[in-house]
């Protein structure tokens, strides 16, 4: 158990819909990262937040947005969903001692868009 | 084309054998990460390398970074069935003022008992 929790575990929705994925980081971790993993694209970094502020941005579509709240949990919002958005979405957190660079991954949310 | 090339794509070894997985970047590396993923499960962060020549170990797994070759190698000594899984490398590619990360396609390791 990494200490990172993600909800929901599975999500099935239709094209055009909007969903919110939630991530709770490990206690003490200030950074949260979001990744997308699909069969055709592999693993892709989406975005990183540090203590509520956006720190780094990767291949995140304009239809996607994220935020980190004062209690450090994070949400990834996916809107106008397309079939190609079906993937595993991972959240990771890092920052607490002693290994501040180590990223701890959650179990992922499997999104299926029908 | 992949900015990070991993080789081999898959590997089958006998338990107890040593093995090496390589990760080569087409761009300058500013940080190199290794992850392991069990089939259908989440990722496990193994280690991060930042400086040329840096070498780190995690149990029987050792990784090195060769900045000049823009390459990292992951070496497993005396492999065990528990080492089986998909090994992914990831790298920081600084672009303008925006940090970004790229990942290799993964190396699928099977360890035969």
């Amino acid at each position: 158990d990494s200490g990172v929790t993600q909800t929901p575990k599975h999500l099935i929705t239709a094209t055009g819909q909007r969903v919110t994925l939630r991530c709770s980081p490990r206690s003490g971790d200030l950074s949260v990262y979001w990744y997308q993993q699909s069969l055709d694209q592999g693993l892709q970094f989406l975005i990183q937040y540090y203590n509520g502020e956006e720190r780094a941005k990767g291949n995140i579509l304009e239809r996607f947005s994220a935020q980190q709240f004062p209690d450090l949990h994070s949400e990834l919002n996916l809107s106008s969903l397309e079939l190609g958005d079906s993937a595993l979405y991972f959240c990771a957190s890092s920052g607490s001692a002693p290994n501040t660079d180590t990223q701890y991954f959650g179990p992922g949310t499997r999104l299926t868009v029908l | 084309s992949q900015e990070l090339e991993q080789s081999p794509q898959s590997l089958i070894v006998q338990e107890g054998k040593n093995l090496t997985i390589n990760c080569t970047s087409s761009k300058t590396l500013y940080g190199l990460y290794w992850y392991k993923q069990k089939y259908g499960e989440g990722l496990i962060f193994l280690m991060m390398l930042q400086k040329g020549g840096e070498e780190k170990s995690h149990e029987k797994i050792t990784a090195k970074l060769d900045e000049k070759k823009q390459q990292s190698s992951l070496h497993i000594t005396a492999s065990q069935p528990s080492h089986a899984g998909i090994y992914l490398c990831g790298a920081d590619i600084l672009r303008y003022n925006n940090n970004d990360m790229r990942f290799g396609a993964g190396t699928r390791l099977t360890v035969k008992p």
Side-chain angles (χ1 to χ4, degrees):
Chain A
D1 183 3
S2 66
V4 178
T5 59
Q6 288 188 249
T7 57
K9 278 190 177 177
H10 302 275
L11 198 47
I12 301 174
T13 188
T15 54
Q17 294 298 304
R18 173 190 169 94
V19 296
T20 298
L21 312 184
R22 184 189 168 102
C23 169
S24 293
R26 286 191 335 144
S27 176
D29 284 356
L30 297 179
S31 279
V32 168
Y33 310 77
W34 285 99
Y35 298 88
Q36 179 196 60
Q37 188 177 41
S38 61
L39 281 174
D40 54 344
Q41 303 266 6
L43 184 66
Q44 292 195 88
F45 165 69
L46 297 178
I47 198 163
Q48 179 200 355
Y49 278 83
Y50 177 82
N51 202 19
E53 301 285 329
E54 183 183 302
R55 172 65 67 89
K57 212 168 189 175
N59 287 331
I60 188 164
L61 300 171
E62 283 190 14
R63 301 183 284 109
F64 296 0
S65 65
Q67 53 184 328
Q68 186 178 28
F69 295 87
D71 66 353
L72 300 177
H73 91 271
S74 178
E75 291 181 356
L76 179 68
N77 300 296
L78 315 176
S79 61
S80 303
L81 284 168
E82 302 175 1
L83 295 176
D85 296 328
S86 295
L88 259 173
Y89 290 84
F90 288 107
C91 161
S93 73
S94 71
S96 54
N99 301 312
T100 57
D101 292 327
T102 301
Q103 291 184 38
Y104 295 89
F105 280 78
T109 293
R110 185 174 293 278
L111 174 66
T112 303
V113 182
L114 301 174
Chain B
S1 64
Q2 291 275 0
E3 288 170 301
L4 282 182
E5 293 283 347
Q6 279 188 243
S7 61
Q9 285 185 329
S10 66
L11 196 50
I12 302 173
V13 299
Q14 202 67 38
E15 183 177 357
K17 295 293 185 185
N18 302 337
L19 62 105
T20 299
I21 298 168
N22 291 307
C23 176
T24 304
S25 173
S26 60
K27 294 182 185 293
T28 303
L29 291 172
Y30 294 93
L32 194 291
Y33 307 78
W34 284 101
Y35 304 85
K36 178 186 172 186
Q37 186 173 26
K38 286 282 194 183
Y39 307 116
E41 296 180 14
L43 288 89
I44 299 167
F45 177 86
L46 296 176
M47 56 195 90
M48 180 181 78
L49 305 165
Q50 283 188 302
K51 301 170 192 173
E54 187 172 15
E55 182 175 319
K56 285 188 178 176
S57 291
H58 172 77
E59 297 173 348
K60 289 188 178 180
I61 302 173
T62 302
K64 296 180 188 179
L65 178 62
D66 186 331
E67 245 177 15
K68 287 181 183 175
K69 291 183 180 177
Q70 294 180 175
Q71 183 179 72
S72 177
S73 58
L74 185 91
H75 185 77
I76 299 178
T77 305
S79 58
Q80 299 167 0
S82 61
H83 287 126
I86 300 170
Y87 288 82
L88 289 149
C89 65
D92 284 328
I93 299 172
L94 187 65
R95 184 180 300 166
Y96 307 111
N97 294 319
N98 190 24
N99 289 329
D100 200 347
M101 278 191 75
R102 291 287 184 266
F103 292 90
T107 295
R108 186 179 294 267
L109 172 65
T110 304
V111 180
K112 288 187 170 181

